[in-house]
Amino acid sequence: MRIPFLDLAKANAPLMPELAEAAARVIRSGRYLGGTETAALESEMAALCGKRGAVAVSNGLDALRLIVRSWVDFGKLREGDEVIVPANTYIASVLPLTEFGLRAVPVDPSEKTLNLDEEGISKALSGRTRAVMLVHLYGTPATTPGFAARLRGEGLMVIEDCAQAIGASIGGKPVGGWGDAAAFSFYPTKNIGALGDAGAVVSDDEELLAYVRALANYGSDRRYHNIAQGYNCRMDEIQAAMLRVKLRHLDQETRRRQRVADAYRNIIKHPEVTLPMHEESAVQVWHQYPVLCRRRDELRRYLEGKGVGTDVHYPEPFYQQPCYQGLFEGQWPVTDRICREIVSLPIGSVSPAEAEEIGLLINQF
Ligand SMILES: Cc1ncc(COP(=O)(O)O)c(C=O)c1O
């Protein structure tokens, strides 16, 4: 058996004719930035989230950065304001906060869902909290649309990091539609992946969207007129075309991932392996299938010996990274444990039958 953790060429192969046709269309159009594909993708992303608009941008980190920078420029966030983030998130959720002098407040996730829950957030709220970042990690929605609405009702900004959860929802409410603004990543390994870097900002707030659009284009609201000292964070037209092909297949891709997750859940029975929570009330899109095991490194070596690749998301929390030395003080025992024990099983390019085989191997570990 040889099952790599992720084989992107294999995952993209069935879409080859459609991708090639879309790429050819862009090449023939002579318009490589800001054309009809980008505009159409923006409408499709807004519709997916039930929001008024979207701005296609360069990547997920920039999507978050552009939202945060806009709120700082609008005076909605000020230096020293606290923003709650999951302690176990990828560092890209946090970089845009510290870059603008905001105080990222790490909060341990629920051990069951590996995501922020209402209790953890509620306990961490202080008089200085101005925003909450809901990161829907691993494809599982963090908290609920009702809770996000309650936070907003209390005057807090809610920013959703949907990098890992495109298509996830609760009660028919898709992630990206819960907060004041949402960021998406289309990094190639994501459930909807570009053939390079890409991202998007989604919101109901037209003023925010217009400002993000300007910031992403040198701060220019019209040609040679600059309202802000901006950046170049535009999405390539060709990536927009690739993403539109993939978006058409999002439901199918989500169902495939759900079938793989179900196969793991039905087969894996091992006293030392804890499966992620299959949340009946939520549509989970399984960006990763993370399990916990105290002998994680041994399990990985065992699977590698059987030809099965795995990965770890993530081995070191952001608050322990050298770039943040001395910045974060506190204890996050749940996250520390997750970092020691978590291992992601293949899901991005495997079939349910392969997942069953992997599950049987794990049972023999
Ligand atoms: C939770 C999360 N936020 C943000 C990002 C950043 O996205 P990108 O790689 O497109 O910059 C990623 C992924 O890479 C992520 O996993």
Side-chain angles (χ1 to χ4, degrees):
M1 183 170 5
R2 181 73 217 136
I3 305 179
F5 175 68
L6 178 63
D7 181 344
L8 276 181
K10 180 183 166 200
N12 285 328
L15 299 176
M16 186 63 169
E18 282 177 77
L19 292 171
E21 202 283 317
R25 197 168 62 229
V26 173
I27 295 165
R28 275 196 301 269
S29 77
R31 180 91 191 234
Y32 305 124
L33 282 163
T36 52
E37 299 287 343
T38 304
L41 176 71
E42 288 175 346
S43 303
E44 289 161 12
M45 282 303 296
L48 182 73
C49 302
K51 287 293 200 189
R52 213 167 282 159
V55 181
V57 299
S58 36
N59 55 62
L61 172 63
D62 283 342
L64 288 167
R65 239 174 125 214
L66 291 162
I67 294 168
V68 174
R69 161 84 192 265
S70 299
W71 285 347
V72 168
D73 286 4
F74 292 170
K76 291 184 173 181
L77 289 176
R78 302 215 173 101
E79 218 178 302
D81 281 350
E82 292 182 357
V83 181
I84 288 173
V85 293
N88 61 325
T89 191
Y90 183 53
I91 195 167
S93 308
V94 184
L95 291 170
L97 303 175
T98 54
E99 178 183 350
F100 294 106
L102 302 166
R103 275 200 57 197
V105 177
V107 172
D108 252 345
S110 143
E111 280 182 288
K112 284 193 192 136
T113 66
L114 308 180
N115 266 281
L116 283 182
D117 64 9
E118 298 189 15
E119 195 190 339
I121 293 171
S122 302
K123 276 195 196 146
L125 293 174
S126 83
R128 303 231 307 264
T129 311
R130 283 297 301 134
V132 175
M133 188 184 289
L134 295 179
V135 186
H136 307 293
L137 278 171
Y138 310 120
T140 296
T143 76
T144 61
F147 183 69
R150 221 158 72 220
L151 292 173
R152 294 171 73 190
E154 288 167 16
L156 298 168
M157 319 284 296
V158 173
I159 178 167
E160 293 179 78
D161 180 342
C162 302
Q164 302 190 3
I166 190 165
S169 64
I170 290 185
K173 299 220 158 79
V175 301
W178 303 4
D180 294 279
F184 285 83
S185 162
F186 303 114
Y187 184 77
T189 61
K190 296 295 194 270
N191 290 23
I192 295 292
L195 306 188
D197 275 315
V201 172
V202 176
S203 179
D204 266 339
D205 181 345
E206 312 261 14
E207 192 191 356
L208 172 77
L209 291 168
Y211 197 71
V212 163
R213 192 179 295 288
L215 278 181
N217 191 36
Y218 323 110
S220 170
D221 63 344
R222 57 192 151 84
R223 205 152 182 238
Y224 304 132
H225 185 263
N226 297 70
I227 55 168
Q229 296 174 36
Y231 318 99
N232 178 347
C233 299
R234 299 175 301 231
M235 185 191 290
D236 294 335
E237 184 77 353
I238 201 153
Q239 297 302 348
M242 300 299 98
L243 291 169
R244 291 187 66 216
V245 168
K246 292 208 173 179
L247 264 187
R248 288 205 292 272
H249 298 276
L250 174 61
D251 289 346
Q252 196 184 325
E253 171 61 8
T254 299
R255 275 197 300 277
R256 185 192 63 76
R257 286 174 183 267
Q258 289 166 341
R259 281 200 295 270
V260 171
D262 287 344
Y264 281 135
R265 174 173 56 177
N266 291 334
I267 296 288
I268 300 174
K269 282 175 188 66
H270 190 290
E272 287 178 90
V273 177
T274 307
L275 303 185
M277 192 163 168
H278 287 243
E279 181 74 77
E280 303 305 335
S281 61
V283 174
Q284 287 169 277
V285 298
W286 300 109
H287 174 55
Q288 302 296 356
Y289 195 84
V291 304
L292 298 176
C293 177
R294 267 200 213 154
R295 292 190 287 139
R296 188 261 314 274
D297 296 338
E298 227 178 294
L299 175 61
R300 291 193 74 197
R301 280 195 297 274
Y302 162 79
L303 287 172
E304 191 61 48
K306 304 280 183 192
V308 176
T310 58
D311 207 340
V312 173
H313 302 94
Y314 300 92
E316 290 278 346
F318 69 80
Y319 52 81
Q320 280 174 4
Q321 295 297 334
C323 67
Y324 282 148
Q325 218 173 11
L327 195 65
F328 294 101
E329 279 174 14
Q331 301 290 319
W332 297 279
V334 176
T335 298
D336 290 343
R337 182 183 145 222
I338 291 171
C339 289
R340 279 194 309 270
E341 300 186 1
I342 202 162
V343 49
S344 297
L345 304 182
I347 196 159
S349 55
V350 294
S351 64
E354 286 173 313
E356 284 179 15
E357 285 183 58
I358 295 167
L360 290 173
L361 284 176
I362 290 174
N363 291 348
Q364 288 159 25
F365 169 58

